Amino acid sequence: MTYRVEYNHKSSGLICVEAGIELKEDAQILARKTLDVEGATFARVIDEDSEGEVWSVRTGGDGATK
């Protein structure tokens, strides 16, 4: 299975997408790392096969599974 991460870059405001990711860790960890590394205000991990959201998280909040 492959996943993609969508996030809003804090300084530019652009929606960024990284596709074709094979998870080496939990989706929650990937989403939280994206917030930290990219300076994002939100991050969403999506299963590319089913187009279903796996995990999302916002700055200052807890993630929610879908």
Side-chain angles (χ1 to χ4, degrees):
M1 274 194 233
T2 57
Y3 297 84
R4 74 174 179 264
V5 178
E6 298 176 353
Y7 60 92
N8 179 326
H9 197 271
K10 191 174 184 176
S11 62
S12 69
L14 296 174
I15 302 295
C16 302
V17 177
E18 293 182 26
I21 298 171
E22 300 232 1
L23 284 183
K24 296 177 184 163
E25 60 211 352
D26 189 88
Q28 176 184 3
I29 294 169
L30 177 60
R32 292 186 184 278
K33 279 185 180 178
T34 301
L35 288 183
D36 294 341
V37 172
E38 301 296 341
T41 57
F42 79 86
R44 180 173 28 237
V45 178
I46 298 169
D47 180 338
E48 290 186 316
D49 297 326
S50 69
E51 289 298 314
E53 186 174 285
V54 177
W55 187 267
S56 64
V57 65
R58 291 190 173 273
T59 303
D62 291 332
T65 56
K66 301 267 182 181

